[in-house]
Amino acid sequence: MARFSTGTEDVTRRLRDGMAGGVLSFPLTSFRDDGSLDPESYRAYLTAQLATGPGAVFPACGTGEFFSLDEDEYRSVVATTVEIADGRLPVVAGIGYGWAQALRFARIAEEEGADAALVLPHYLVAAPQDGLVEQLRRIAAGTSLPLIAYQRGQVAFDARSLRRIADIPTVIGLKDGHSDLDRLQRLTLAAPDGFLFFNGASTAEIQARAYATVGVPAYSSAVHAFAPDIANAFFSALRDQDDERTTALLREFYVPLVELRDRVPGYAVSLVKAAARLRGLPVGPVRAPLTDPGPDDLAVLAKILEAGQLLAEAAPRPV
């Protein structure tokens, strides 16, 4: 007997296939210099992003500054993403805050045709395991969208809670941002067959080989948001078990990028957006409380990008 309904099973299958075949894209949201949403620039940016062949697209999530979008802006971003994806790949929209507000976003995503939702960590407070499970139950009760839980920050499921959320008919997977591989291994062993897992650490490529050892080879890629050629070169090297290419990309691009990212709070997003602007992508600035990098960090970032692009250009082309 199937664990999911037919519709949920189809979304799960498409996500599983996409996760095996390409990186998971978390696009940036385009803003004008005055901080207002720039829908046309987002459309141009996303069209170029999806042309590079990601396995799935996750609009209005952390990299897309979900936390700074109002509901009308969120609707615009999700609707545009669904339109451009045009059924070619799954669209998983971010939702979050407390369960009541998360449901408002979920219903917008559902109305605009998203395939599933990623439940971002709730706002501010720590919570017991029973509360984390109830949060997902409340959201699932109010939307038919398949849900992926995101454990990061104050959200961390234990094995018993993982089994409980997996029993919710529309909860299909877990994104992990803690990088606690002992805990993650326990979760993968506790999960039922068909439950999805993927690596959602910041700059997930750094830990992609380690995650794969506990049965979680799929990962999200913030790098795809600004340099899909580099992200795809790394994905191919990892998939082909080309340790020399994988290590070169890690040593010469990803590690320097992470070292720069760790200098300033919020650079996990604002540095990604700055890199996109350096490559001529129409994404605009970040919104407060994030801040854009200054000239010294931009100069370092440009050199890191140049090194990564040279490695990507030297990678063998698919036959």
Side-chain angles (χ1 to χ4, degrees):
M1 185 171 133
R3 198 167 71 83
F4 301 131
S5 67
T6 302
T8 301
E9 184 66 39
D10 179 63
V11 172
T12 305
R13 177 190 55 76
R14 292 177 64 213
L15 277 168
R16 185 182 299 110
D17 291 347
M19 289 159 66
V23 300
L24 304 178
S25 173
F26 283 69
L28 298 157
T29 300
S30 298
F31 299 122
R32 301 184 183 95
D33 288 342
D34 65 1
S36 61
L37 185 70
D38 189 344
E40 291 310 310
S41 290
Y42 178 70
R43 176 181 295 276
Y45 162 73
L46 188 67
T47 298
Q49 289 290 297
L50 296 194
T52 65
V57 60
F58 290 68
C61 292
T63 307
E65 297 179 76
F66 167 80
F67 51 85
S68 76
L69 299 176
D70 67 28
E71 292 179 16
D72 290 338
E73 293 169 332
Y74 176 85
R75 183 182 295 276
S76 174
V77 168
V78 174
T80 299
T81 307
V82 170
E83 179 189 343
I84 295 171
D86 194 26
R88 292 171 294 153
L89 73 170
V91 175
V92 184
I95 63 173
Y97 305 114
W99 63 263
Q101 184 62 53
L103 268 178
R104 292 176 67 93
F105 284 108
R107 287 166 181 158
I108 293 170
E110 192 168 359
E111 288 167 6
E112 297 304 332
D115 296 292
L118 177 67
V119 183
L120 302 170
H122 63 266
Y123 172 70
L124 191 61
V125 295
Q129 292 293 306
D130 285 349
L132 298 180
V133 173
E134 183 63 18
Q135 165 93 335
L136 281 173
R137 282 183 177 153
R138 295 263 184 164
I139 296 169
T143 177
S144 64
L145 285 177
L147 303 176
I148 298 170
Y150 187 6
Q151 63 169 20
R152 189 186 185 104
Q154 68 270 33
V155 176
F157 295 99
D158 61 25
R160 178 172 173 271
S161 294
L162 189 283
R163 287 190 289 269
R164 293 169 68 195
I165 67 170
D167 283 341
I168 301 169
T170 54
V171 175
I172 63 173
L174 178 76
K175 177 182 180 184
D176 175 70
H178 284 295
S179 304
D180 180 341
L181 297 184
D182 178 282
R183 186 186 192 98
L184 184 59
Q185 181 71 91
R186 295 169 191 267
L187 297 183
T188 62
L189 293 172
D193 291 343
F195 197 77
L196 304 176
F197 286 91
F198 63 95
N199 166 7
S202 295
T203 318
E205 287 91 341
I206 286 283
Q207 300 184 65
R209 289 194 284 199
Y211 268 80
T213 65
V214 295
V216 183
Y219 60 90
S220 59
S221 177
V223 169
H224 188 274
F226 63 87
D229 52 342
I230 300 172
N232 287 337
F234 182 87
F235 180 86
S236 296
L238 193 67
R239 178 198 59 199
D240 298 343
Q241 299 183 336
D242 187 331
D243 289 339
E244 183 178 351
R245 272 195 299 142
T246 301
T247 299
L249 281 159
L250 287 170
R251 182 182 290 124
E252 297 181 42
F253 174 75
Y254 284 97
V255 168
L257 181 68
V258 168
E259 289 174 348
L260 180 59
R261 181 201 72 197
D262 289 346
R263 290 184 187 179
V264 177
Y267 264 18
V269 176
S270 56
L271 202 68
V272 170
K273 214 162 198 185
R277 292 194 301 273
L278 285 174
R279 299 200 86 187
L281 299 172
V283 296
V286 292
R287 275 181 170 174
L290 301 180
T291 58
D292 290 308
D296 290 345
D297 284 349
L298 286 176
V300 174
L301 179 59
K303 290 180 180 179
I304 295 169
L305 271 172
E306 182 180 1
Q309 190 163 4
L310 287 172
L311 287 167
E313 289 171 354
R317 301 298 179 195
V319 179

